[in-house]
Amino acid sequence: TLSTSMKSVGEVMAIGRTFKESMQKALCSLETGLCGFDPIDADLEFIKHEIRRSNAERMLYVAEGFRRGLSIDEMFELCAIDPWFLYQIEELVNAEQHIDIDLLHNETQLRKIKIDGFSDKNIARLITKNSRVTLSENDVYTARKKLGISLEYNEVDTCAAEFEALTPYLYSTTNVTKVPEKKNRHSDTKKVLILGGGPNRIGQGIEFDYCCVHAAFALKDMGIETIMYNCNPETVSTDYDTSDVLYFEPIDFEHVREVIDHEQPDGIIVHFGGQTPLKLANALTAIGAKISGTSALVIDLAEDREKFSAFVKAHHLKQPDNGLATTKEQAVVIAATLGYPVLVRPSFVLGGRAMRIVYNEDELNKYMDEAVSVSNDAPVLVDKFLDQAIELDVDAISDGSNVYIGSVMQHIEEAGIHSGDSACSLPPVNLSDALISEVEQQTKQIALGLGVVGLLNIQYAIFQNEIYLIEVNPRASRTVPFVSKATGIPLAKVATRVMMGENISDALAFYDHYRVVIEDNGVLKPRLKGHVAIKEAVFPFNKLYGADLVLSPEMKSTGEVMGISSNFGVSFAKSQMAAGNIIPTSGTCFLSFIDMDKKHAPEIARGLHENGFTLVATGGTQKVIEAAGIPCERVLKISEGRPNIEDTMKNGEIHMAINTSDNNTSKKDAIVIRQIVLSRKIPYFTTLSAARATIAALSHIGNDSWNRPQALQDYLD
């Protein structure tokens, strides 16, 4: 339910001549799979309930209410939305009834429908429903082109008519009558279209806009005209002076295709906007669009589980044993063959949505009901989970012949936490030089073997001193801005020059202002100058009432911060301070470990005790700690009577909490404890690795000198 407490993490902007057109374009821009006012399958009473309740999909329920026969007065009584808006939505719903197969032969009526903002995909859906003839989006596109109906582009006057606007800032619309055919916009220089990342949301944020903006800057350095395409008003990419031309449009196939028809760019960059533009690569290639850098074929190879597994085997690399299941029964068989625990996830989802570690068959059966619906019947991926493995993130650039290893980052959280939620260290803190070198060589082998031209991100797991390949993404990753700042090499700019055909050595030389690039064992990489950078995730838990702060394979963070210093402990402390989780230097720490983590409790407790903390713990954890000879007071669970841990926290007696978790931490006691931690802003950590990093930080932050300000350039010079 929406309320006075903000819950959104992003927004879109759509421009058109009318409210109807702009509203439907905005719905298409949301990246939620909508192609307009999509229908909702529910009974009328539920629809009325959702119209009355302020929620993210309220406009869709309003439209559905009109489809079910509700009047303007009845609708206003339910939602109190201004009747003017209600009339507009009602007119769109009424227009849906007249969208049938005859529309494709009637220029006047089809033009009117397009003026109201109906997308080709939505028109195809409605014709299929009303005329019982199966049509595709492409069928509608072909029909309207035969009738001479194309999107026109109007310019927003960014200078309010006081003087000439220097940057074309454009949006599409459909003219009420056929206008004289315009020639494609001519440019005397090479021009490249950059597809942006769309709205910010969990799994896809401003880091991708950073890459798009840097691509525009790099193209400008090369004398190439830049065409930016995005629908997010919060971003730098949609500032009208970032690029030479700006299109403010939904990032869907119909609208991107029209811009390509209009501009005829010499290249299209789909790799910097995250999954949003990347998923258009195959369709754009099919219509003859010129994808710059890594081809759609390579992208498909990396994302297709079966094709990629064949690639891994052919190159003698290691990957956790895995399988694909389309039914609950198949998943159970695969999991039993692999052995529990297993990591299960729906295919082709963003931010690890619905990804989970399951430890037995009962948990798997319960999960499958959710996963299959989330993935829309696409296969569910089942992987052997490498418990307690160390995860690595590697960002690299390839020109097809040579490879630059931008970074090898070590996740602070153990395997099983989504990479976007895990803190990570650059450079790794406890890996051998030989192991890091092997990771670099495997990265080079994969980049050249796939045929990547531009950026790629690879995730590895180190399990029992063996390197396992988790995932390869032949695109910009969310760590590119962090790595660029930590090393002094702007990865997106270098990759852009490479994608335009420049060799990687020359591209690096153009931006290596701090002279950090070296060659070692056949790979190019940066030379760090004695500093350690920590990336930490930022979470919206305090904004979402009832949210649980336990981390999992499903991404929950909405931003990130960076801490940098000459050692790991201080960098970690800085990152926690920046993220609002300030590590105290004294006081009482509450400890509660799940059974599988209790063997590590004495190690954590000893480190905290040696740094001056008083310890309290729930029964099982307290017994293990006290048996190790470390002073620790028992505190009652909420269900064990009063005074208990809830009372202790509310009385302000707890200054830090370390509470590890598994799939059973949804028990009432655990949830209440974590919600109190949030509401009282008690510093908290939910993994063993984060607890160890906290202890490392405590040994360095006893006095104020650790937090002395220092410019980023000081670490790079």
Side-chain angles (χ1 to χ4, degrees), residues 654-669:
I654 301 297
H655 304 97
M656 185 165 65
I658 297 174
N659 176 208
T660 66
S661 58
D662 60 13
N663 286 348
N664 296 317
T665 52
S666 58
K667 294 176 182 177
K668 185 177 178 181
D669 276 20

Side-chain angles (χ1 to χ4, degrees), residues 427-610:
V429 288
N430 56 8
L431 299 182
S432 68
D433 291 342
L435 189 60
I436 293 173
S437 178
E438 179 57 28
V439 167
E440 292 172 346
Q441 292 302 316
Q442 286 197 19
T443 300
K444 179 180 178 180
Q445 182 184 5
I446 292 165
L448 298 181
L450 284 174
V452 171
V453 178
L455 276 164
L456 81 155
N457 170 266
I458 304 179
Q459 294 173 26
Y460 295 98
I462 309 301
F463 184 67
Q464 297 176 351
N465 274 332
E466 296 283 349
I467 301 171
Y468 288 84
L469 190 57
I470 303 299
E471 192 173 53
V472 174
N473 295 302
R475 58 167 171 82
S477 74
R478 62 178 58 87
T479 50
V480 164
F482 166 68
V483 173
S484 299
K485 292 173 173 64
T487 63
I489 296 294
L491 296 184
K493 288 183 177 180
V494 173
T496 300
R497 296 182 78 95
V498 167
M499 292 162 73
M500 294 300 108
E502 191 167 291
N503 72 65
I504 198 164
S505 297
D506 290 345
L508 285 166
F510 190 85
Y511 291 112
D512 187 13
H513 304 310
Y514 297 101
R515 301 184 182 280
V516 299
V517 177
I518 59 172
E519 184 172 354
D520 180 34
N521 200 20
V523 296
L524 297 162
K525 61 183 182 179
R527 180 183 66 253
L528 297 183
K529 299 182 179 179
H531 61 277
V532 177
I534 301 291
K535 184 212 79 171
E536 178 59 290
V538 177
F539 299 91
F541 299 133
N542 61 335
K543 292 288 184 181
L544 303 175
Y545 178 77
D548 196 346
L549 53 79
V550 169
L551 302 182
S552 69
E554 183 169 349
M555 187 171 171
K556 299 176 181 176
S557 62
T558 54
E560 60 188 46
V561 296
M562 182 171 96
I564 186 168
S565 76
S566 58
N567 68 71
F568 173 81
V570 172
S571 295
F572 184 77
K574 284 184 174 183
S575 73
Q576 297 308 301
M577 175 179 282
N581 193 39
I582 302 173
I583 300 172
T585 55
S586 62
T588 300
C589 182
F590 166 68
L591 301 173
S592 180
F593 296 95
I594 57 173
D595 288 342
M596 64 187 297
D597 290 341
K598 281 187 170 64
K599 60 187 176 185
H600 302 286
E603 171 202 348
I604 304 299
R606 186 172 290 106
L608 293 167
H609 178 66
E610 289 173 353

Side-chain angles (χ1 to χ4, degrees), residues 98 102-103 106-114 149:
H98 306 292
D102 293 335
L103 184 72
N106 189 324
E107 180 192 342
T108 302
Q109 289 304 312
L110 181 54
R111 193 175 287 278
K112 184 178 183 302
I113 288 297
K114 292 300 291 183
I149 302 173

